[in-house]
Amino acid sequence: MAMTLQHVPSLPELIVFCIHPFMMVLVAGILVLYLIYKRKVAVYLLDFACYRPPSSYRLPMSMFVEHFVLDNMDPESIAFQTKILEKSGFSEETCIPPSVSQVPLRKSLSSAMEEAETVMFSVVADLFKKTNTNPKAIDILVSNCSLFCATPSFTAMLVNKFRMRSNIMSFHLSGMGCSAGIISVSLAKDLLRVHQNSLALIVSTETLNQDWYTGKNPSMLLTNCLFRMGGAAVLLSSREQDKSRSKYELKHLVRTNKAQDDISYACVFQDVDLENKVGVSISKGILNVAGDALKENIAALGPLVLPFSEQLKFGFSIFCRKIMWNTKQRSIYVPDFKKAFEHFCIHAGGRAVIQGIEKSLRLRKQDVEPSKMTLYKYGNTSSSSIWYELCYIEAKGRMKRGDRVWQIAFGSGFKCNSVVWKCVTDSEFEIADAWNDINRYPLHVPDVVKIN
């Protein structure tokens, strides 16, 4: 009897024995729920569309100069802009809105509104048609235009035009510069991951009418020579059923903001000149500022995308420079980003910007071809330029399943933003209207084109 009682568990032991399996199941359940909660929701790019202005909007270089002569602009200002334009890398096909090409120049609120509506309504309608999307299916709407902030907002204009839902989440970004397109993707990405199973529409454009500069300040005259008409619409989704019909999956997005530095903050600045004329000033040191911002952005992006061998070489070069050798005797190893990406979409901010990144990252001519050809045909279309470049790569038939593409853009503030996409489709890409003459490209672009 005593021996039998020895094998009977005490009450505490019995409680532990009963609770133990329950605790295991509870912990396992909590762990599963935690992993489900922490799992990143995939964000897909279904398709995008780029605006192609009608040929009547073209601004041949000779007409550009003639326009200012007829508008009685200061001769020195005309000579300065002519010199810049001759080295711009532009073709005779870049476009501006009719209100800006008129003599005298017709700057007005109604003209700016008409310009914005022309671009946005056209490109969004094109995207809806390409993707067979009902406007009422859009859950999130993000628009961006840096210099013209209308009331009602651009998103309100789009909701009204396409009769979108009353509970749509809409946001308009202004003052973000040429990198605003990636900032819009960042905002849409965060919203899509919070509001799962949703569709997001992004519309990126820039209006020229209100900020076409007519004064004498050389740093403000640069914008007349660089910026041209354009826009893009992008459709993103966090719906699992859209994976099979999407083109790309969003892999990484890195943003760098240098506004805490006074020189960076002031290098692109909207202000008034001595004659009280509004313009955007671009400082001479912008390339140095962009280079510093690029270094910080790459430092954050590199560990996410570069193979370990490249990271090891980079880290070893820094160690050698700081510890083992004199600073001046050894340079830091530049990682080979061609091992991380098959395609590059560098913001077509200007010839010097593209060439600077080409040299810094040791890229091939083919790697910067989409940027150079976009600059040649369309000029600097601000935040939408990276989409014209991606469209160029598709039209060339170079994009394959599994390929990774790096879009990088710079903007006022000063900002440098990067986004990485991975191609997830086997389908052949249709040649979009923006590059329906793709067989002409690439073309040789001379260093200087004299304007007669």
Side-chain angles (χ1 to χ4, degrees), residues 143-278:
S143 64
N144 66 265
C145 180
S146 188
L147 295 173
F148 178 49
C149 190
T151 301
S153 68
F154 280 18
T155 51
M157 293 160 59
L158 290 164
V159 170
N160 177 262
K161 171 66 177 180
F162 295 98
R163 297 295 187 260
M164 297 178 184
R165 300 198 318 259
S166 60
N167 64 342
I168 191 170
M169 292 173 279
S170 61
F171 306 85
H172 177 72
L173 306 179
S174 65
M176 295 289 188
C178 300
S179 66
I182 295 180
I183 297 174
S184 293
V185 172
S186 177
L187 175 58
K189 174 206 66 173
D190 292 341
L191 290 167
L192 285 169
R193 285 178 173 168
V194 172
H195 304 277
Q196 299 180 24
N197 297 311
S198 298
L199 278 177
L201 173 65
I202 298 172
V203 183
S204 297
T205 189
E206 191 62 69
T207 59
L208 303 180
N209 180 274
Q210 289 287 282
D211 292 279
W212 194 262
Y213 182 63
T214 56
K216 301 176 182 179
N217 188 330
S219 65
M220 292 181 172
L221 287 168
L222 280 172
T223 57
N224 294 346
C225 305
L226 293 176
F227 291 97
R228 295 294 181 265
M229 193 176 190
V234 184
L235 188 61
L236 302 181
S237 173
S238 60
R239 305 187 307 189
E240 190 62 30
Q241 67 264 31
D242 287 329
K243 181 178 180 179
S244 59
R245 71 186 188 107
S246 62
K247 284 186 173 183
Y248 305 95
E249 181 181 352
L250 178 61
K251 304 304 292 184
H252 305 287
L253 198 151
V254 175
R255 294 169 56 181
T256 301
N257 193 325
K258 299 282 289 180
Q260 69 277 7
D261 175 68
D262 290 340
I263 295 176
S264 299
Y265 175 73
C267 74
V268 180
F269 210 89
Q270 187 178 30
D271 205 348
V272 292
D273 63 12
L274 297 176
E275 298 177 343
N276 208 36
K277 293 183 178 179
V278 178

Side-chain angles (χ1 to χ4, degrees), residues 278-307:
V278 178
V280 176
S281 173
I282 301 177
S283 73
K284 293 180 179 179
I286 189 170
L287 292 180
N288 293 329
V289 170
D292 291 340
L294 177 63
K295 288 176 185 177
E296 283 199 27
N297 191 265
I298 287 176
L301 179 66
L304 301 175
V305 298
L306 286 170

Side-chain angles (χ1 to χ4, degrees), residues 294-318 331-341 344 357-364 367 406:
L294 177 63
K295 288 176 185 177
E296 283 199 27
N297 191 265
I298 287 176
L301 179 66
L304 301 175
V305 298
L306 286 170
F308 180 73
S309 60
E310 289 298 305
Q311 296 187 49
L312 188 63
K313 291 177 184 177
F314 177 69
F316 182 71
S317 70
I318 293 178
S331 60
I332 294 177
Y333 174 75
V334 178
D336 186 0
F337 278 91
K338 297 187 292 296
K339 294 183 178 180
F341 308 109
F344 299 82
I357 295 179
E358 177 186 5
K359 182 179 180 180
S360 299
L361 300 183
R362 300 176 183 175
L363 301 179
R364 302 165 299 180
D367 296 327
W406 179 15

Side-chain angles (χ1 to χ4, degrees), residues 323-386:
I323 306 298
M324 299 179 65
W325 285 282
N326 186 284
T327 301
K328 297 180 180 179
Q329 294 177 343
R330 189 175 183 90
S331 60
I332 294 177
Y333 174 75
V334 178
D336 186 0
F337 278 91
K338 297 187 292 296
K339 294 183 178 180
F341 308 109
E342 285 72 35
H343 309 285
F344 299 82
C345 296
I346 303 163
H347 166 55
R351 171 178 269 174
V353 173
I354 299 171
Q355 290 177 339
I357 295 179
E358 177 186 5
K359 182 179 180 180
S360 299
L361 300 183
R362 300 176 183 175
L363 301 179
R364 302 165 299 180
K365 296 297 181 183
Q366 181 176 316
D367 296 327
V368 296
E369 180 187 310
S371 301
K372 287 185 176 180
M373 293 302 101
T374 295
L375 183 70
Y376 176 78
K377 183 173 182 177
Y378 287 101
N380 181 352
T381 60
S382 189
S383 58
S384 63
S385 70
I386 55 175

